[in-house]
Amino acid sequence: MSTSAKNVKFANDSMWVELTDGRTIGVPLAWFPRLLNASEDQLKNYTFSPNGIHWDSLDEDISVSGLLAGRGDQTKQGKVAA
């Protein structure tokens, strides 16, 4: 059985994702720095894909499987020169 996201809400530095199988997952926005630093309007501007949630203006994609596995942002940050 596969499940997908059907609703997203934000409250108190958390993201709540309602799934098609009836579960709701809550994760801290700190897991996703792009979302943590986004405006309210940017957070509301998402679309669903078969595998997750996409924010075009933020260049952010979050998979349902990643949320279920407890994974946050998987973007590799380059080293910063001093």
Side-chain angles (χ1 to χ4, degrees), residues 25-52:
I25 301 170
V27 297
L29 286 180
W31 284 13
F32 303 100
R34 289 181 186 126
L35 298 182
L36 180 64
N37 296 310
S39 69
E40 187 175 328
D41 286 338
Q42 288 174 309
L43 291 175
K44 292 178 183 178
N45 190 21
Y46 61 85
T47 57
F48 294 115
S49 69
N51 297 317

Side-chain angles (χ1 to χ4, degrees), residues 1-71:
M1 174 184 194
S2 67
T3 189
S4 58
K6 72 175 191 178
N7 194 24
V8 178
K9 294 181 182 178
F10 297 92
N12 301 325
D13 295 326
S14 296
M15 176 174 66
W16 297 90
V17 180
E18 185 180 352
L19 304 177
T20 55
D21 67 4
R23 290 181 284 178
T24 300
I25 301 170
V27 297
L29 286 180
W31 284 13
F32 303 100
R34 289 181 186 126
L35 298 182
L36 180 64
N37 296 310
S39 69
E40 187 175 328
D41 286 338
Q42 288 174 309
L43 291 175
K44 292 178 183 178
N45 190 21
Y46 61 85
T47 57
F48 294 115
S49 69
N51 297 317
I53 313 158
H54 174 72
W55 287 263
D56 193 47
S57 66
L58 299 172
D59 191 27
E60 181 71 89
D61 291 287
I62 299 174
S63 70
V64 170
S65 63
L67 290 173
L68 291 171
R71 290 191 304 264

